[in-house]
Amino acid sequence: MRDQSITDDLLKGIPKAELHIHIEGSLEPELMFEIAGRNGVPLRYASVEEVRSAYHFTDLQSFLDLYYEGMKVLLNEQDFYDLTWAYLQKTSSQGVRHAEIFFDPQAHTGRGVAFETVIGGIRQALLDGERLLGVSSALIMCFLRHLSAESAMETLSQALPYREWIAGVGLDSSEVGHPPEGFKAVFDEAEKYGFRRVAHAGEEGPPEYIWQALDILQVARIDHGVRCMEDQKLLKRLREEQVPLTVCPLSNVRLRVFDSIQEHPLKRMLQEGLCVTINSDDPAYFGGYVADNYCTVRDWLRFTREDFQKVAGNSFRASFLGERRKRQLLSELETYFAS
Ligand SMILES: [Zn+2]
């Protein structure tokens, strides 16, 4: 029986950070239609309802096909601004005080949209988010692992003029068959420029990919990482080094990494002493933003108040925030639970 005092409003109100959100995955069908209309981009759906009803995924790839299709409406700086601004407003209403946001430049430059158009629109919205909503943020540029290491390297050079706007680099897209080790050179290069490094690993891919991300790419965080539960030695390492794992429960169920939320290992991961955080991944596609994920684990994984305080604290501790703001947000969190 769940604790009835843990209401939706209580979970929404928890000050928290979101560390695993692909901005293109926050494109809601309504905005997709609006932008498609003004850009004259034809959609293969007749209505918003038709788009939503197409969101039945069998695995990561079946989602990625629709994800890349949907983002084709994004052409101008204003489109990237609107996309990012919509996410910030939504996530701010769910208690997010700091967001570390992924973007996929290759998914746009590959369609002829300039790098500066993409980052310019996102950047302006992030500045407005800080000013008008009090949401601080960091931007993480992801390399698409289904593309070549050369293409990733080229993307890194395109990003250098915007070095000040980008906190780190990541690795996403189709995991199986595209192990982290293939991207060693570009991650090494990114390190030289002072970029933080993270990577998706151990979502659909084996625990071995998590080892590679840690040892070969030298990442500060693992995105997903749920398959670490299959490897005792890895578990020990992750626990001892308190490597943050950005877990996305609704995403994992929608993409059939687990057949049901009841089978999700998040609670066990927490009990193992791992530094887990809860995130939305691609909220427009997976049925919920960050607090919706909090509600889901309350309902199905019996998360307690202490569990929520722990994961929200982890979200700040695992962030790339400076020490001062980190401390400020952690003390806000403490006050929230004390009252
Ligand atoms: Zn992701």
Side-chain angles (χ1 to χ4, degrees), residues 20-22 102 172 200 203 223-224 248 251 281-282 286:
H20 185 156
I21 155 76
H22 302 266
F102 295 133
D172 66 0
H200 283 53
E203 177 190 12
D223 297 310
H224 292 296
C248 309
S251 162
D281 206 4
D282 300 282
F286 301 150

Side-chain angles (χ1 to χ4, degrees), residues 77 80 109 113-123 158 162 165:
E77 197 166 303
F80 290 94
T109 53
V113 179
F115 189 96
E116 67 170 309
T117 301
V118 179
I119 199 166
I122 296 174
R123 166 78 179 171
Q158 288 173 332
Y162 308 95
W165 297 356

Side-chain angles (χ1 to χ4, degrees), residues 168-212:
V169 299
L171 189 64
D172 66 0
S173 194
S174 323
E175 188 185 5
V176 175
H178 304 283
E181 61 185 358
F183 296 86
K184 177 177 168 33
V186 69
F187 271 65
D188 283 353
E189 190 69 8
E191 185 189 12
K192 283 188 207 154
Y193 289 98
F195 290 104
R196 314 278 197 134
R197 285 145 292 146
V198 299
H200 283 53
E203 177 190 12
E204 282 188 347
E208 170 59 20
Y209 285 17
I210 301 176
W211 285 107
Q212 287 187 16

